[in-house]
Amino acid sequence: MNKNIVLVITLLLVLLVVVELIFSALRKGYQRHMVDLLENRDYNGFDAYSGKAGVKLLVPAYTAKVMKLNMALQEKDAERIERYFEEIEALKLTDQQRCDIALRGFYHYLPQRDRKKCGEYVAVIQKTAQDEAMKEAVTRFYDVLIEKKDELLPTLLAEMEEQEELNRYTNEYLVSEIYRNRGEEQEAKQYAELSQRHKREYLRVMKSLE
């Protein structure tokens, strides 16, 4: 190969690396400023800044809106949470993005026992998720907490026999909810306490490994 061609290719590769480093630094700077605006609750300033051409080039609308959603979730601002979910869902999303947002929506509205929204998000997750275990987990939560089904009880109890104690807290929580739905309060309380204890222990162990 001609030495001049090799030199040109090498220079182009170096240039690409330099440009990517510059873009990466700019992107991080833009996102830091956007976080500052959100933390100061300057939502109008955030919208104006994220709408600038240079910012839009490096920080896609999806990313900017997810940043706003995260802040609203942190602040438990129900009105803004609902609005940001709607804004994100109106974007042209990849299947992975649709799945990620559906998961956020499902676990946000699940404690509220919002049948309509949870049902809609379950449908999206079943259609877009690649992880079969995730699909099954979401379906279990929906069936027990929303539909109040109890057919899973024998399966959940049998699975717990094979699980280490630290990994039982999800099943124990679902079991407690099944008993609560049945009106069996003593059993519900027993498994709820086990779930809380094992979850605390699990989180403690995970933190120690960081």
Side-chain angles (χ1 to χ4, degrees):
M1 185 180 291
N2 188 293
K3 290 184 178 180
N4 289 334
I5 295 176
V6 173
L7 179 60
V8 169
I9 292 174
T10 302
L11 289 174
L12 286 174
L13 290 174
V14 171
L15 180 61
L16 286 173
V17 171
V18 171
V19 169
E20 178 55 35
L21 289 173
I22 292 172
F23 280 0
S24 178
L26 286 171
R27 186 182 298 111
K28 290 178 181 178
Y30 290 157
Q31 290 180 338
R32 278 198 300 269
H33 185 59
M34 292 163 76
V35 169
D36 289 341
L37 290 168
L38 287 175
E39 289 180 344
N40 291 324
R41 294 178 172 78
D42 186 358
Y43 305 116
N44 290 333
F46 180 95
D47 289 339
Y49 186 75
S50 61
K52 291 182 177 181
V55 178
K56 287 171 65 176
L57 177 66
L58 296 177
V59 184
Y62 173 79
T63 302
K65 291 183 183 298
V66 168
M67 291 174 70
K68 291 201 294 185
L69 174 62
N70 289 340
M71 183 60 69
L73 288 168
Q74 183 177 321
E75 295 179 346
K76 296 181 172 58
D77 188 323
E79 182 180 344
R80 287 196 296 120
I81 289 171
E82 185 168 357
R83 183 167 77 250
Y84 296 154
F85 269 123
E86 291 174 353
E87 289 180 2
I88 294 171
E89 289 158 14
L91 297 173
K92 186 176 181 180
L93 305 176
T94 65
D95 279 352
Q96 184 60 58
Q97 289 170 337
R98 290 179 64 209
C99 182
D100 290 344
I101 292 302
L103 278 170
R104 288 170 183 257
F106 178 76
Y107 285 112
H108 170 69
Y109 288 108
L110 186 64
Q112 304 171 34
R113 304 300 192 267
D114 190 320
R115 176 185 295 271
K116 182 175 183 296
K117 288 188 180 295
C118 286
E120 291 172 351
Y121 286 127
V122 167
V124 173
I125 293 165
Q126 293 298 332
K127 184 177 179 180
T128 59
Q130 300 296 317
D131 188 332
E132 294 300 323
M134 178 198 300
K135 291 182 182 180
E136 182 178 3
V138 166
T139 299
R140 286 183 170 191
F141 274 100
Y142 182 80
D143 285 347
V144 173
L145 274 66
I146 303 297
E147 296 293 343
K148 300 188 183 303
K149 295 179 180 180
D150 63 0
E151 294 91 340
L152 270 175
L153 183 58
T155 300
L156 293 168
L157 292 172
E159 287 178 353
M160 285 161 52
E161 294 295 324
E162 304 297 325
Q163 294 171 329
E164 294 184 11
E165 282 195 355
L166 291 184
N167 296 323
R168 293 177 183 173
Y169 66 90
T170 298
N171 278 30
E172 288 166 339
Y173 173 72
L174 291 173
V175 168
S176 74
E177 288 298 312
I178 289 174
Y179 280 126
R180 183 168 289 106
N181 293 339
R182 288 179 169 184
E184 300 175 38
E185 294 300 328
Q186 184 174 346
E187 290 83 355
K189 181 180 179 182
Q190 174 190 346
Y191 279 98
E193 291 174 349
L194 284 171
S195 175
Q196 292 167 7
R197 188 179 81 214
H198 289 150
K199 185 175 182 179
R200 285 195 301 269
E201 292 173 357
Y202 174 84
L203 293 175
R204 178 179 57 77
V205 170
M206 290 299 102
K207 187 172 182 180
S208 70
L209 297 176
E210 292 178 358

